[in-house]
Amino acid sequence: MIRDRLRPGGLAITRAPTSRVERTFVAVFPYVASYGDFLLGSRDPIVIDRERIRTRLADPAVQAYYDNSRRGHRVAARTAHRSGAPKMFDPSFDRSTIVDINTDLFPRDEFNIPPPQQWWNAVPLARHAR
């Protein structure tokens, strides 16, 4: 639902506490930038411009906006200050290898229910990242 509501160039941001959440996000969005447990997803190519992010974070109007949401500020700052390039996924990534994704509103990740056996046999995304 989020992907379909994004404006051109829009980004969805989520935390991925489990590999199942990461697999689901990569299965849904054609473009994903992964910073470990922090994911950006889009229908359009993602460009990470650290200098632009730092400049925007320094703007008093942006700081005032984030004062109401310290968590939002931390997420933006993590993107700006992470070392190294994110793991990137684009439409050429073969998503047919992704198994055990969340397709309902009650993800078992959040309820600590043990996953089915096939989850343990899932292909780790890290091996396929570009």
Side-chain angles (χ1 to χ4, degrees):
M1 291 177 357
I2 294 171
R3 180 199 60 216
D4 295 341
R5 287 178 170 81
L6 287 178
R7 292 181 180 159
L11 293 172
I13 302 172
T14 193
R15 183 177 160 273
T18 67
S19 58
R20 183 169 184 259
V21 173
E22 180 186 23
R23 289 192 303 270
T24 302
F25 204 77
V26 171
V28 168
F29 290 96
Y31 295 92
V32 174
S34 172
Y35 287 94
D37 66 344
F38 172 59
L39 306 171
L40 302 171
S42 183
R43 292 184 297 172
D44 302 306
I46 298 171
V47 177
I48 305 295
D49 182 342
R50 286 193 178 98
E51 189 53 41
R52 183 173 181 208
I53 294 169
R54 285 185 191 106
T55 301
R56 293 283 306 264
L57 287 173
D59 182 318
V62 172
Q63 289 178 0
Y65 175 83
Y66 281 126
D67 280 345
N68 292 328
S69 172
R70 294 264 181 227
R71 181 164 170 71
H73 185 265
R74 286 194 308 266
V75 167
R78 283 176 69 180
T79 302
H81 300 291
R82 289 270 183 155
S83 61
K87 183 171 42 171
M88 301 295 284
F89 298 90
D90 64 22
S92 69
F93 176 73
D94 180 10
R95 285 157 169 83
S96 70
T97 63
I98 300 175
V99 297
D100 189 37
I101 62 171
N102 180 41
T103 58
D104 59 44
L105 296 177
F106 303 101
R108 66 179 169 269
D109 304 75
E110 295 179 14
F111 299 107
N112 296 320
I113 298 171
Q117 183 60 36
Q118 83 177 63
W119 184 82
W120 299 110
N121 297 325
V123 177
L125 294 176
R127 276 196 267 167
H128 300 289
R130 301 187 130 199

mmCIF file of all heavy atoms in Angstrom, residues 11-28:
data_model
loop_
_atom_site.group_PDB
_atom_site.id
_atom_site.type_symbol
_atom_site.label_atom_id
_atom_site.label_comp_id
_atom_site.label_asym_id
_atom_site.label_seq_id
_atom_site.Cartn_x
_atom_site.Cartn_y
_atom_site.Cartn_z
ATOM 1 N N LEU A 11 10.171 8.287 -1.026
ATOM 2 C CA LEU A 11 10.851 7.216 -0.303
ATOM 3 C C LEU A 11 9.992 6.688 0.830
ATOM 4 O O LEU A 11 9.336 7.455 1.526
ATOM 5 C CB LEU A 11 12.162 7.714 0.306
ATOM 6 C CG LEU A 11 13.276 8.106 -0.635
ATOM 7 C CD1 LEU A 11 14.407 8.767 0.155
ATOM 8 C CD2 LEU A 11 13.787 6.880 -1.376
ATOM 9 N N ALA A 12 10.036 5.381 1.019
ATOM 10 C CA ALA A 12 9.474 4.754 2.212
ATOM 11 C C ALA A 12 10.668 4.373 3.073
ATOM 12 O O ALA A 12 11.697 3.939 2.560
ATOM 13 C CB ALA A 12 8.672 3.517 1.849
ATOM 14 N N ILE A 13 10.553 4.556 4.375
ATOM 15 C CA ILE A 13 11.640 4.251 5.294
ATOM 16 C C ILE A 13 11.111 3.309 6.358
ATOM 17 O O ILE A 13 10.013 3.515 6.889
ATOM 18 C CB ILE A 13 12.170 5.538 5.964
ATOM 19 C CG1 ILE A 13 12.643 6.515 4.907
ATOM 20 C CG2 ILE A 13 13.283 5.208 6.956
ATOM 21 C CD1 ILE A 13 12.998 7.889 5.440
ATOM 22 N N THR A 14 11.898 2.282 6.682
ATOM 23 C CA THR A 14 11.504 1.371 7.747
ATOM 24 C C THR A 14 12.723 0.820 8.448
ATOM 25 O O THR A 14 13.829 0.864 7.932
ATOM 26 C CB THR A 14 10.640 0.207 7.211
ATOM 27 O OG1 THR A 14 10.025 -0.472 8.305
ATOM 28 C CG2 THR A 14 11.471 -0.792 6.412
ATOM 29 N N ARG A 15 12.491 0.318 9.613
ATOM 30 C CA ARG A 15 13.505 -0.417 10.354
ATOM 31 C C ARG A 15 13.234 -1.888 10.090
ATOM 32 O O ARG A 15 12.082 -2.310 10.042
ATOM 33 C CB ARG A 15 13.381 -0.097 11.853
ATOM 34 C CG ARG A 15 14.444 -0.753 12.672
ATOM 35 C CD ARG A 15 14.305 -0.343 14.146
ATOM 36 N NE ARG A 15 14.998 -1.317 14.964
ATOM 37 C CZ ARG A 15 14.464 -2.434 15.427
ATOM 38 N NH1 ARG A 15 13.195 -2.725 15.187
ATOM 39 N NH2 ARG A 15 15.166 -3.266 16.153
ATOM 40 N N ALA A 16 14.280 -2.674 9.914
ATOM 41 C CA ALA A 16 14.136 -4.100 9.639
ATOM 42 C C ALA A 16 14.797 -4.900 10.760
ATOM 43 O O ALA A 16 15.964 -5.268 10.655
ATOM 44 C CB ALA A 16 14.749 -4.451 8.286
ATOM 45 N N PRO A 17 14.062 -5.164 11.830
ATOM 46 C CA PRO A 17 14.664 -5.880 12.949
ATOM 47 C C PRO A 17 14.945 -7.357 12.653
ATOM 48 O O PRO A 17 15.709 -7.988 13.366
ATOM 49 C CB PRO A 17 13.636 -5.735 14.068
ATOM 50 C CG PRO A 17 12.343 -5.552 13.355
ATOM 51 C CD PRO A 17 12.677 -4.812 12.087
ATOM 52 N N THR A 18 14.319 -7.888 11.593
ATOM 53 C CA THR A 18 14.555 -9.287 11.223
ATOM 54 C C THR A 18 14.823 -9.379 9.724
ATOM 55 O O THR A 18 14.438 -8.499 8.949
ATOM 56 C CB THR A 18 13.335 -10.180 11.553
ATOM 57 O OG1 THR A 18 12.239 -9.794 10.705
ATOM 58 C CG2 THR A 18 12.907 -10.055 13.011
ATOM 59 N N SER A 19 15.456 -10.461 9.316
ATOM 60 C CA SER A 19 15.721 -10.637 7.889
ATOM 61 C C SER A 19 14.420 -10.812 7.112
ATOM 62 O O SER A 19 14.343 -10.489 5.932
ATOM 63 C CB SER A 19 16.662 -11.819 7.647
ATOM 64 O OG SER A 19 16.127 -13.010 8.170
ATOM 65 N N ARG A 20 13.372 -11.302 7.760
ATOM 66 C CA ARG A 20 12.072 -11.456 7.092
ATOM 67 C C ARG A 20 11.505 -10.094 6.697
ATOM 68 O O ARG A 20 10.939 -9.913 5.616
ATOM 69 C CB ARG A 20 11.104 -12.189 8.002
ATOM 70 C CG ARG A 20 9.757 -12.460 7.374
ATOM 71 C CD ARG A 20 8.970 -13.420 8.270
ATOM 72 N NE ARG A 20 7.727 -13.762 7.648
ATOM 73 C CZ ARG A 20 6.558 -13.209 7.988
ATOM 74 N NH1 ARG A 20 6.497 -12.314 8.938
ATOM 75 N NH2 ARG A 20 5.450 -13.570 7.381
ATOM 76 N N VAL A 21 11.670 -9.098 7.561
ATOM 77 C CA VAL A 21 11.211 -7.741 7.250
ATOM 78 C C VAL A 21 12.013 -7.211 6.061
ATOM 79 O O VAL A 21 11.453 -6.614 5.140
ATOM 80 C CB VAL A 21 11.339 -6.811 8.475
ATOM 81 C CG1 VAL A 21 11.017 -5.376 8.099
ATOM 82 C CG2 VAL A 21 10.432 -7.285 9.599
ATOM 83 N N GLU A 22 13.327 -7.443 6.048
ATOM 84 C CA GLU A 22 14.145 -6.992 4.920
ATOM 85 C C GLU A 22 13.700 -7.679 3.629
ATOM 86 O O GLU A 22 13.530 -7.032 2.595
ATOM 87 C CB GLU A 22 15.630 -7.276 5.157
ATOM 88 C CG GLU A 22 16.486 -6.815 3.986
ATOM 89 C CD GLU A 22 17.949 -7.204 4.097
ATOM 90 O OE1 GLU A 22 18.278 -8.170 4.808
ATOM 91 O OE2 GLU A 22 18.769 -6.537 3.445
ATOM 92 N N ARG A 23 13.477 -8.991 3.678
ATOM 93 C CA ARG A 23 13.040 -9.710 2.467
ATOM 94 C C ARG A 23 11.716 -9.159 1.952
ATOM 95 O O ARG A 23 11.534 -8.984 0.746
ATOM 96 C CB ARG A 23 12.915 -11.208 2.754
ATOM 97 C CG ARG A 23 14.238 -11.908 2.942
ATOM 98 C CD ARG A 23 14.075 -13.416 2.933
ATOM 99 N NE ARG A 23 13.154 -13.928 3.937
ATOM 100 C CZ ARG A 23 13.496 -14.298 5.168
ATOM 101 N NH1 ARG A 23 14.739 -14.176 5.574
ATOM 102 N NH2 ARG A 23 12.598 -14.778 6.003
ATOM 103 N N THR A 24 10.795 -8.877 2.858
ATOM 104 C CA THR A 24 9.489 -8.342 2.456
ATOM 105 C C THR A 24 9.650 -6.992 1.769
ATOM 106 O O THR A 24 9.068 -6.741 0.715
ATOM 107 C CB THR A 24 8.560 -8.215 3.676
ATOM 108 O OG1 THR A 24 8.413 -9.508 4.280
ATOM 109 C CG2 THR A 24 7.203 -7.661 3.278
ATOM 110 N N PHE A 25 10.454 -6.119 2.352
ATOM 111 C CA PHE A 25 10.674 -4.782 1.804
ATOM 112 C C PHE A 25 11.295 -4.864 0.416
ATOM 113 O O PHE A 25 10.865 -4.188 -0.516
ATOM 114 C CB PHE A 25 11.575 -3.996 2.766
ATOM 115 C CG PHE A 25 11.440 -2.510 2.678
ATOM 116 C CD1 PHE A 25 10.364 -1.851 3.252
ATOM 117 C CD2 PHE A 25 12.410 -1.752 2.049
ATOM 118 C CE1 PHE A 25 10.255 -0.459 3.199
ATOM 119 C CE2 PHE A 25 12.310 -0.368 1.987
ATOM 120 C CZ PHE A 25 11.226 0.276 2.559
ATOM 121 N N VAL A 26 12.309 -5.728 0.246
ATOM 122 C CA VAL A 26 12.974 -5.890 -1.051
ATOM 123 C C VAL A 26 12.018 -6.507 -2.073
ATOM 124 O O VAL A 26 12.062 -6.174 -3.253
ATOM 125 C CB VAL A 26 14.272 -6.720 -0.912
ATOM 126 C CG1 VAL A 26 14.857 -7.077 -2.269
ATOM 127 C CG2 VAL A 26 15.302 -5.956 -0.085
ATOM 128 N N ALA A 27 11.127 -7.372 -1.628
ATOM 129 C CA ALA A 27 10.150 -7.972 -2.539
ATOM 130 C C ALA A 27 9.140 -6.938 -3.036
ATOM 131 O O ALA A 27 8.640 -7.037 -4.157
ATOM 132 C CB ALA A 27 9.417 -9.126 -1.850
ATOM 133 N N VAL A 28 8.856 -5.936 -2.228
ATOM 134 C CA VAL A 28 7.820 -4.941 -2.541
ATOM 135 C C VAL A 28 8.343 -3.780 -3.384
ATOM 136 O O VAL A 28 7.686 -3.352 -4.325
ATOM 137 C CB VAL A 28 7.191 -4.408 -1.230
ATOM 138 C CG1 VAL A 28 6.324 -3.184 -1.494
ATOM 139 C CG2 VAL A 28 6.381 -5.501 -0.557
#
